[in-house]
Amino acid sequence: MNNVLDRNNDYIKRISKLCLFDDDFMNIVFQNDKCVKLLLDIILDTDIRISDINIQHQLDNIKGRTVIMDMYIIDEKGRYINVEIQRDDSQAIAKRAGYHESLLKTNITSKQTKWKDISETYVIFITENDVLLGGLPIYHIEKRIEENGERFEDGAHIIYVNGRNEEDTRLGRLMHDMRCTEVEDMYYEELREEARYYKEDEGGIEKMCKLFDEVREMGKEEGKHEGIELTRIASIQNLMKSMNWSIEEAMKALMIPLEEQEHFIHFIH
């Protein structure tokens, strides 16, 4: 019994320190459609009408790297929006944003789709640090023709949002709330009330503890590998770092069955 209490007390301490740049907390808070709408309304500076939201949505590439998107959103105008919240600068480089853009286009386009009817796409990276190092609160990346500077209208938009922005603006206050660990210090009611539920309400805390248990058990169960001290997760990460491999290459080297790989992609992402 004491072990259970100790475990829960440890979880509660961890929950109190979470902010929206932490994967587990971000994933559960943004299951609330109102929180997603607030995020997009501020970043895109418009009133977004959302048709569909998927959290941790997988897009497959049969010839290359699979991507699990933090948020995959379709609005009423038929635009496809991918939001990525990144604490690790190395996971938010320009090439990754470009890859997400291309994979998004590929997966939403069928053989019957006419070129003019391909949907607009937005890839939005919200980064804890100023990854692009320009000192700007937000960066809109659009393709242009070098010779005359005119826009090249391919319907693809990439946006980087600087999580270090502390300006007294709607976007600055949103970034403050993303970094905030204290519920009472948050500006936006939608985020504040959702964060309060998971940090202070008994039912929300129970859900967070259950989530931590699931992650912990997955690490234990999937980590059993014939007496090897490192868990499979640690082994995958070690190969990725030491060999500069993708997660798929590392899992192939460890002979992890295909049916189990999605779990590791979700955990390590």
Side-chain angles (χ1 to χ4, degrees):
M1 184 66 177
N2 286 336
N3 288 337
V4 174
L5 292 174
D6 289 343
R7 180 206 63 192
N8 285 339
N9 285 334
D10 177 58
Y11 284 172
I12 290 169
K13 289 178 183 177
R14 288 172 60 189
I15 292 167
S16 70
K17 296 177 182 178
L18 292 174
C19 74
L20 290 171
F21 278 103
D22 292 297
D23 282 346
D24 293 332
F25 197 53
M26 175 271 294
N27 287 338
I28 203 164
V29 166
F30 283 106
Q31 288 178 11
N32 185 314
D33 293 2
K34 291 181 180 179
C35 293
V36 177
K37 176 174 168 51
L38 171 75
L39 190 81
L40 293 179
D41 282 355
I42 294 173
I43 292 173
L44 297 178
D45 195 24
T46 188
D47 182 19
I48 290 288
R49 304 297 176 90
I50 295 172
S51 296
D52 191 31
I53 299 172
N54 288 282
I55 304 298
Q56 294 297 301
H57 181 75
Q58 179 171 312
L59 289 184
D60 294 321
N61 179 356
I62 61 173
K63 291 188 176 181
R65 185 169 189 162
T66 292
V67 165
I68 297 179
M69 296 183 166
D70 287 344
M71 301 181 214
Y72 177 85
I73 302 141
I74 308 171
D75 74 358
E76 287 189 351
K77 294 182 179 180
R79 298 180 297 185
Y80 286 76
I81 304 167
N82 165 215
V83 179
E84 295 294 312
I85 297 176
Q86 284 296 333
R87 170 158 272 172
D88 183 352
D89 292 358
S90 68
Q91 297 298 310
I93 64 173
K95 287 183 178 180
R96 182 177 180 187
Y99 185 73
H100 278 231
E101 175 199 315
S102 63
L103 197 55
L104 199 57
K105 285 281 190 189
T106 300
N107 276 264
I108 66 176
T109 306
S110 69
K111 291 181 179 179
Q112 290 74 35
T113 304
K114 296 180 179 178
W115 296 118
K116 66 181 181 66
D117 294 330
I118 295 177
S119 299
E120 270 192 281
T121 61
Y122 287 80
V123 174
I124 301 171
F125 273 73
I126 304 172
T127 59
E128 188 175 32
N129 300 308
D130 184 8
V131 172
L132 299 187
L133 303 176
L136 299 174
I138 190 168
Y139 304 83
H140 293 84
I141 295 97
E142 303 285 345
K143 296 183 181 71
R144 294 189 180 276
I145 301 169
E146 281 196 20
E147 285 74 15
N148 58 20
E150 292 184 5
R151 288 267 297 271
F152 183 72
E153 301 287 355
D154 63 347
H157 314 277
I158 296 175
I159 298 173
Y160 275 71
V161 185
N162 177 5
R164 291 296 173 190
N165 174 22
E166 297 181 352
E167 295 178 355
D168 186 20
T169 61
R170 291 182 74 209
L171 183 61
R173 291 190 288 272
L174 177 64
M175 291 304 101
H176 167 273
D177 285 2
M178 292 289 296
R179 298 189 307 269
C180 197
T181 60
E182 298 294 332
V183 171
E184 294 303 326
D185 292 340
M186 300 178 83
Y187 287 105
Y188 290 104
E189 180 181 358
E190 296 91 334
L191 297 176
R192 184 172 61 247
E193 293 310 308
E194 200 69 8
R196 187 193 310 280
Y197 174 69
Y198 290 109
K199 286 193 172 211
E200 298 178 1
D201 186 274
E202 184 177 347
I205 291 172
E206 184 177 342
K207 288 181 180 178
M208 287 299 299
C209 288
K210 183 179 179 181
L211 175 62
F212 285 159
D213 269 341
E214 289 173 355
V215 172
R216 184 179 180 180
E217 289 305 312
M218 187 184 81
K220 284 183 179 179
E221 187 63 29
E222 301 293 350
K224 296 174 183 175
H225 189 61
E226 296 181 357
I228 298 177
E229 292 183 2
L230 292 174
T231 65
R232 280 183 175 179
I233 292 169
S235 298
I236 293 168
Q237 292 173 323
N238 185 50
L239 282 175
M240 290 172 68
K241 183 178 180 180
S242 63
M243 303 298 293
N244 196 26
W245 283 351
S246 69
I247 185 172
E248 289 85 0
E249 290 170 329
M251 290 190 293
K252 183 177 180 181
L254 292 169
M255 295 184 288
I256 295 175
L258 286 173
E259 63 270 17
E260 297 179 18
Q261 291 186 10
E262 182 180 342
H263 298 292
F264 293 104
I265 290 172
H266 174 79
F267 188 89
I268 294 172
H269 173 68

